[in-house]
């Protein structure tokens, strides 16, 4: 199964779409008692994609005065120390948990949306011809930061990686993550008997994990075909824009009112469900990240367009400002004082007031 089909199954379960799952030779989703869901190895009820490496987590050298052990892959990466190894493990866990479906509550809803959104956008950026290379690099760093931040990870992991071309590397050691994680899985495949007390999955399952981990990583790096949101009747216009960054940017540059019309049409349609709402949220955050990131004053045109429908304007403004903290980062980065935008503030709800004023 391709990552695209697996991602569609993720969206199917996450948004309660009720569609029949597509068979997969290696993984299948299983619902847990707390309404979360994990990828299980096929025909296994006791082994998940995210959990198999738990027993392999390196010892935390921060709690030892003089660590007297070497990283598992020290023979392949001489520049790697035991502190670095732990950071690379945390990133592996973060990447593998991308396909986990957590139970949503008040405290994790924003982080869950941001991580999913950033993963999706990272897979899209490489194909966006309407953006300059500089703009792509800026947005890639922006999305990757929040992909990690929303997981969440510790500070060492958050700032431990960077891009060299399309390769994600551990900045301190200059180790390519694709190379490291490939050898990581190969090591445990070749030494499965040596680690039999820690490993509870079979050789073919380690290889299946390697394939999926590397596919997730390549999506983050923009090396694999971009992901798309699955089809649904009545959602064609929004899907066309969120599945194609160039289409979105072209519509905005040629006739931005057409983009605002798509937003208006969605709000005027009373037929909604969790998947439709999710796609609409993606569209609005695309406006934040691809338009307002580079030209915050464009928001005046949006407010002007919706001036005769204040309730719709309020809905759009507050979703853009409170569904994520992207707007906070953009405003801080560009030294924008929201108090200078009284037409925007006029539509703030209580949550937006509390956060921004």
């Amino acid at each position: 199964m391709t990552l695209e089909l697996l991602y569609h199954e993720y969206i199917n379960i996450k948004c309660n779409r009720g569609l029949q799952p597509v068979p997969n030779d290696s993984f299948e989703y299983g619902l847990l008692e707390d309404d979360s869901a994990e990828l299980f190895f096929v025909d296994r009820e006791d082994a998940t994609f995210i959990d198999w490496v738990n027993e392999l987590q390196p010892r935390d050298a921060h709690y030892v005065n003089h660590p007297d052990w070497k990283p598992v892959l020290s023979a392949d990466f001489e520049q790697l120390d035991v502190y670095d190894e732990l950071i690379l493990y945390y990133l592996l866990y973060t990447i593998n948990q991308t396909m986990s479906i957590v139970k949503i509550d008040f405290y994790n809803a924003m982080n869950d949306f941001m991580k999913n959104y950033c993963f999706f956008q990272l897979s899209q950026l490489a194909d966006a011809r309407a953006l300059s290379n500089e703009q792509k690099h800026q947005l890639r760093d922006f999305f990757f930061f929040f992909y990690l931040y929303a997981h969440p990870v510790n500070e060492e992991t958050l700032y431990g990686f960077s891009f060299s071309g399309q390769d994600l590397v551990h900045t301190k050691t200059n180790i390519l993550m694709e190379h490291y994680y490939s050898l990581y899985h190969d090591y445990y495949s070749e030494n499965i008997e040596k680690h039999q007390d820690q490993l509870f999955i079979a050789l073919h399952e380690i290889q299946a994990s390697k394939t999926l981990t590397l596919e997730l990583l390549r999506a983050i790096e923009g090396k694999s075909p971009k992901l798309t949101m699955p089809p649904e009747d009545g959602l064609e216009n929004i899907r066309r824009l969120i599945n194609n960054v160039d289409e979105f940017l072209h519509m905005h540059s040629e006739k931005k009112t057409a983009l605002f019309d798509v937003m208006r049409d969605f709000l005027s349609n009373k037929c909604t469900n969790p998947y439709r709402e999710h796609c609409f949220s993606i569209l609005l955050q695309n406006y934040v990240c691809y338009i307002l990131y580079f030209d915050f004053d464009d928001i005046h045109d949006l407010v002007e367009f919706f001036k005769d429908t204040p309730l719709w304007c309020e809905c759009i403004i507050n979703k853009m400002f409170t569904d994520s903290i992207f707007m906070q980062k953009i405003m801080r980065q560009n030294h924008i004082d929201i108090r200078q935008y009284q037409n925007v503030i006029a539509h703030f709800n209580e949550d937006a007031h509390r956060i921004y004023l």
Side-chain angles (χ1 to χ4, degrees):
M1 176 184 282
T2 65
L3 181 59
E4 169 92 342
L5 290 176
L6 192 59
Y7 185 74
H8 284 187
E9 181 63 11
Y10 165 84
I11 293 296
N12 175 31
I13 297 174
K14 187 176 182 64
C15 296
N16 301 312
R17 301 188 74 210
L19 303 178
Q20 281 294 110
V22 178
N24 186 320
D25 292 337
S26 302
F27 299 100
E28 58 188 354
Y29 272 103
L31 299 179
L32 305 180
E33 292 182 357
D34 63 354
D35 295 329
S36 62
E38 291 289 354
L39 279 175
F40 284 78
F41 294 101
V42 167
D43 298 327
R44 293 283 297 271
E45 296 181 356
D46 60 341
T48 68
F49 173 58
I50 187 64
D51 283 338
W52 81 272
V53 296
N54 277 354
E55 295 298 320
L56 304 175
Q57 179 172 339
R59 293 169 59 190
D60 192 340
H62 295 92
Y63 295 101
V64 179
N65 288 331
H66 302 289
D68 59 357
W69 67 92
K70 291 184 178 181
V72 169
L73 299 184
S74 58
D76 297 291
F77 303 99
E78 294 180 358
Q79 70 272 46
L80 189 73
D81 65 29
V82 291
Y83 302 98
D84 303 324
E85 181 185 41
L86 189 59
I87 292 173
L88 270 54
Y89 171 84
Y90 288 150
L91 179 64
L92 172 64
Y93 191 87
T94 300
I95 291 172
N96 286 357
Q97 202 176 43
T98 301
M99 306 302 289
S100 297
I101 299 172
V102 301
K103 182 179 180 180
I104 300 300
D105 57 35
F106 174 80
Y107 299 100
N108 69 0
M110 182 185 291
N111 275 2
D112 183 74
F113 171 76
M114 290 196 303
K115 182 175 180 181
N116 178 275
Y117 175 85
C118 289
F119 175 71
F120 185 75
Q121 297 309 320
L122 285 165
S123 83
Q124 295 261 326
L125 269 179
D127 286 344
R129 296 188 180 92
L131 296 168
S132 68
N133 286 335
E134 181 182 355
Q135 288 174 321
K136 285 185 185 181
H137 294 158
Q138 286 178 310
L139 286 172
R140 183 180 59 182
D141 289 344
F142 182 87
F143 292 140
F144 185 65
F145 174 87
F146 279 106
Y147 170 78
L148 295 179
Y149 179 88
H151 176 71
V153 298
N154 60 23
E155 188 170 345
E156 287 180 312
T157 308
L158 182 62
Y159 295 104
F161 302 90
S162 55
F163 287 92
S164 175
Q166 281 190 284
D167 296 324
L168 183 65
V169 302
H170 180 234
T171 308
K172 176 187 168 186
T173 60
N174 205 35
I175 292 174
L176 274 64
M177 290 301 92
E178 183 171 0
H179 186 208
Y180 180 85
Y181 292 136
S182 180
L183 293 186
Y184 178 91
H185 288 82
D186 290 347
Y187 169 82
Y188 285 107
S189 296
E190 296 163 5
N191 295 276
I192 192 167
E193 292 185 3
K194 178 180 177 181
H195 295 276
Q196 60 182 345
D197 292 338
Q198 297 167 286
L199 290 170
F200 56 86
I201 62 174
L203 176 60
H204 72 278
E205 292 167 331
I206 297 177
Q207 290 301 308
S209 294
K210 173 183 176 179
T211 298
L212 181 51
T213 293
L214 293 181
E215 279 299 302
L216 291 167
L217 175 61
R218 288 170 186 144
I220 290 169
E221 295 176 320
K223 295 178 181 177
S224 58
K226 67 180 180 181
L227 297 173
T228 63
M229 300 303 293
E232 177 160 327
D233 290 343
L235 208 59
E236 292 81 6
N237 288 335
I238 287 182
R239 281 189 62 252
R240 180 164 52 90
L241 296 178
I242 63 179
N243 285 340
N244 191 322
V245 172
D246 284 336
E247 185 87 16
F248 173 86
L249 292 172
H250 178 76
M251 178 179 285
H252 178 268
S253 64
E254 292 297 313
K255 189 180 180 182
K256 69 177 69 176
T257 55
L259 173 60
F260 300 152
D261 278 334
V262 173
M263 300 178 186
R264 181 197 61 192
D265 291 345
F266 177 86
L267 291 172
S268 65
N269 189 337
K270 303 301 182 183
C271 179
T272 189
N273 59 44
Y275 178 60
R276 290 172 182 266
E277 292 292 337
H278 181 66
C279 289
F280 185 59
S281 293
I282 292 176
L283 179 68
L284 295 185
Q285 294 305 317
N286 277 10
Y287 181 72
V288 171
C289 295
Y290 291 104
I291 304 301
L292 300 185
Y293 183 97
F294 300 107
D295 180 14
F296 194 83
D297 283 349
D298 197 275
I299 200 169
H300 291 305
D301 295 330
L302 183 144
V303 173
E304 176 65 20
F305 180 87
F306 284 100
K307 66 180 180 181
D308 295 329
T309 51
L311 291 180
W312 289 353
C313 189
E314 179 179 329
C315 174
I316 290 171
I317 291 295
N318 287 293
K319 283 184 70 63
M320 289 196 307
F321 277 81
T322 64
D323 274 2
S324 75
I325 58 173
F326 301 148
M327 196 74 89
Q328 294 179 55
K329 176 73 170 180
I330 291 168
M331 290 169 56
R332 188 162 55 245
Q333 187 171 292
N334 295 316
H335 308 291
I336 293 168
D337 183 356
I338 194 60
R339 289 170 296 184
Q340 302 300 315
Y341 294 78
Q342 289 297 318
N343 57 337
V344 175
I345 292 175
H347 297 282
F348 274 7
N349 62 15
E350 184 176 336
D351 286 340
H353 266 281
R354 175 177 50 80
I355 295 169
Y356 292 93
L357 298 175

